[in-house]
Amino acid sequence: SHSSLPSSSSTTHVRCCASTVLSRTEARRNSWLRGGRHPTSTTAHVEAKAHASEMEGRRFSDRMKEKANVHWERAVRHRFVDELGDGTLERAVFQRYLLQDYVFVNAFASLLGSTVAKAPTMASKAPLATFLADVTSQENDYFLRSFEALGVRLEQWENETPSQATMGFQNLIQEATSDACHYGEALSTLLAAEWSYLTWATSLGTKRPEAFYFAEWIDLHAIPEFQNFVGWLREETDRVGREADLELQEKMTGRFCSMMELEVAFFDDAYTAKQIH
C-alpha cells in the first residue's frame, strides 16, 4: 500500500512534521525519476480480433481498475482516509495500521527486488531500484520516528503478528516474487498498491493534520515525484499488458483485483484489530 516515497538517491525520505516536511521533500525532489487449437482456426481468429478491438484506445491499467471497481472505490473512499485527512483518526487505530504496514513493507521490499530482477531493460530496472532503495532506507526512518512518537516499543514493531489482511498480502506477494510469476503480474501487484494510495492521498487536497505522522503519510503519497513514479508504473504495466496474450492479461487483472480487495480489508483491520495467532 503503502511504501510510496519519492526518492532521493543520496538524501532523505519521510512522512514528517510540518517543520521537517519541506526540507525533506525538497531533498527528494532534487533527484527523483531522473487455447489448444491451431492459430488459424476460426475460434482463435475471433478471439484475437476481439482482443485487439478491446485493447484499442483503452489503457490496460484502466481496464484492470474497472474490473476491481467495487473494491477500488471502497479503498480510496474508506473512512480511514477521511479521518486521516481530518486529523480525527484515533491514535490507536493508526498505531495498529502502521504496525501492520511495517510488516507489509518487509514483504513489499522483496517484491520490488524481484521485480527489478525480472525487468527486461535498464530503463525499467532503474525506477524500480530507486524506489526499492527508498523503501529500505528513508521510508524506514519514517516508521521509526512515528513509532517513537506513538509510543510503540521496539519489541512491538519487531515482532508484530500479521492481521488477516496482512497475511493475505504476504501470500499474494510471495506468489508474485516466484520465478514462475511473470514480470507483468509483479507490475500489476505493485500498481494496485501504489496507484490506489496516490488516488486517495490526492483526493484529500491540501488537508494536512497537525500530527506529523498523519501529515507526512499523506504528503508521501501526493507529491509530484510520487505521481511521476506511479505514472511510469502505469505506463510500464500498460506496455506489458498490450503485448500480453489473453491468459497473461487475465492473470495480471486477477492479481490487481486481489490486491484491491486486500487494501479494503487492510483498512478495516486497523479498526477491528483481528490478528492471526
Side-chain angles (χ1 to χ4, degrees), residues 52 109 152 263 273:
V152 179
E263 291 290 359

Side-chain angles (χ1 to χ4, degrees), residues 2-9 11-15 102 104-114 116 128-144:
H2 316 170
S3 43
S4 65
L5 25 175
S7 146
S8 157
S9 27
T11 52
T12 61
H13 148 250
V14 298
R15 301 168 191 180
Y102 200 57
F104 166 86
V105 163
N106 187 56
F108 191 79
S110 297
L111 174 59
L112 279 167
S114 171
V116 171
L128 293 162
T130 301
F131 193 65
L132 173 59
D134 287 327
V135 170
T136 56
S137 58
Q138 298 163 7
E139 177 161 348
N140 193 59
D141 175 66
Y142 163 77
F143 279 107
L144 300 188

Side-chain angles (χ1 to χ4, degrees), residues 111-216:
L111 174 59
L112 279 167
S114 171
T115 309
V116 171
K118 292 175 181 177
T121 67
M122 196 63 72
S124 298
K125 292 178 187 292
L128 293 162
T130 301
F131 193 65
L132 173 59
D134 287 327
V135 170
T136 56
S137 58
Q138 298 163 7
E139 177 161 348
N140 193 59
D141 175 66
Y142 163 77
F143 279 107
L144 300 188
R145 288 183 293 104
S146 298
F147 287 149
E148 182 178 9
L150 290 164
V152 179
R153 300 185 311 277
L154 174 70
E155 314 83 71
Q156 281 182 273
W157 57 260
E158 280 191 334
N159 302 290
E160 177 71 0
T161 303
S163 69
Q164 294 183 16
T166 305
M167 185 72 78
F169 274 134
Q170 289 175 323
N171 292 338
L172 195 62
I173 287 172
Q174 185 175 13
E175 292 174 3
T177 59
S178 71
D179 291 340
C181 190
H182 190 276
Y183 175 56
E185 294 176 75
L187 287 175
S188 64
T189 303
L190 292 170
L191 182 61
E194 303 312 298
W195 188 14
S196 62
Y197 266 53
L198 171 65
T199 301
W200 68 249
T202 53
S203 77
L204 293 176
T206 59
K207 289 183 176 181
R208 294 298 182 273
E210 184 176 351
F212 82 83
Y213 40 79
F214 289 163
E216 192 182 340

Side-chain angles (χ1 to χ4, degrees), residues 226-274:
F226 181 58
Q227 295 185 42
N228 289 340
F229 175 72
V230 175
W232 173 84
L233 190 57
R234 282 191 69 193
E235 289 172 1
E236 182 74 348
T237 305
D238 288 339
R239 180 188 66 79
V240 175
R242 283 194 304 271
E243 298 171 359
D245 59 22
L246 289 172
E247 182 180 5
L248 177 55
Q249 285 192 346
E250 289 175 0
K251 288 180 178 178
M252 291 172 68
T253 301
R255 290 194 179 278
F256 188 95
C257 292
S258 295
M259 283 291 291
M260 289 314 307
E261 184 173 4
L262 287 168
E263 291 290 359
V264 177
F266 193 84
F267 282 143
D268 288 344
D269 277 359
Y271 293 89
T272 60
K274 292 179 181 177

